[in-house]
Amino acid sequence: MVRLPYIDGFYEVKPSKIICLGRNYAKHAKELGHEVPKEPVIFLKPPSSLIGPKEAIILPRISKRVDHEVELAVIIGKRGRRISRERAMEYVLGYTILLDITARDLQWEAKRKGLPWTVAKGFDTFAPVGPRLVDKRELDVSDLELGLKVNGELRQLARTSEMIFKIPEIIEYISSVMTLEAGDIIATGTPAGVGPLRHGDEIEAWIEGIGKLEEDVLAEESILC
Ligand code: MG
């Protein structure tokens, strides 16, 4: 179970689903060879992929290329469906960081075959969150720096203002498809600079006003006895 510091106590992270945006930063869409989308591209990660701060991302044996993606995550505060963009912020509890860890080789293969991304996105430990939950009243997230370093080397650096679809539009779109429940997580997409992780790497991701999320990276072989 993942618990994050929130106001004076803790928040238990227990989403019914984790909804992720693909291609929500133009430069990242381009680096993967895609057009900028006309409506949000969404997919799901299972809640079983969650880990908390200072844990370990496990690189699965069946992938040769696992990438990091730093993202601003929105935590939903109350149930809603068909939410208008004008009322969307009423449904937001707060914000954290989510790393949308991706088995890129398996995703490439799925794209080539026209198959879903579930395997590439869904391994255990592929959704680190933290370091804390920031209440929406404490932070305007419209133009924050977000970045990621691996072993101290800068890999990703951008601003949330570069997002193609903004949070109210994203909530309007997702809730036109599926009911959003309190606790659900929306990961709003990653900027350019995604790249591979290796056994022994140390990740440091940050978003201005939220803090720094640190994770280790381990090969699956290294933890099997
Ligand atoms: Mg992503």
Side-chain angles (χ1 to χ4, degrees), residues 173-186:
Y173 179 76
I174 295 172
S175 72
S176 75
V177 178
M178 59 188 86
T179 298
L180 286 169
E181 303 282 354
D184 282 354
I185 300 175
I186 301 173

Side-chain angles (χ1 to χ4, degrees), residues 21 43 69 71 100 121 190:
L21 272 276
F43 60 90
E69 299 189 357
E71 310 198 3
D100 173 20
K121 296 285 191 178
T190 199

Side-chain angles (χ1 to χ4, degrees), residues 49-93:
S49 59
L50 286 166
I51 56 171
K54 300 200 169 170
E55 295 195 48
I57 296 161
I58 309 299
L59 305 175
R61 274 180 298 185
I62 66 164
S63 173
K64 297 283 173 282
R65 161 97 188 232
V66 175
D67 280 5
H68 55 76
E69 299 189 357
V70 60
E71 310 198 3
L72 171 68
V74 176
I75 310 284
I76 295 296
K78 63 174 181 181
R79 167 185 268 206
R81 67 186 291 265
R82 301 198 182 284
I83 301 164
S84 68
R85 64 186 68 186
E86 290 76 22
R87 302 199 67 176
M89 294 309 293
E90 295 171 26
Y91 292 81
V92 173
L93 178 65

Side-chain angles (χ1 to χ4, degrees), residues 20-24 28 43 45 68-71 98-102 104 107 117 121 187-191 194:
C20 301
L21 272 276
R23 306 171 198 170
N24 201 28
H28 170 66
F43 60 90
K45 283 173 102 83
H68 55 76
E69 299 189 357
V70 60
E71 310 198 3
L98 185 142
L99 303 182
D100 173 20
I101 303 300
T102 303
R104 192 72 68 200
Q107 189 192 30
W117 303 352
K121 296 285 191 178
T188 57
T190 199
V194 302

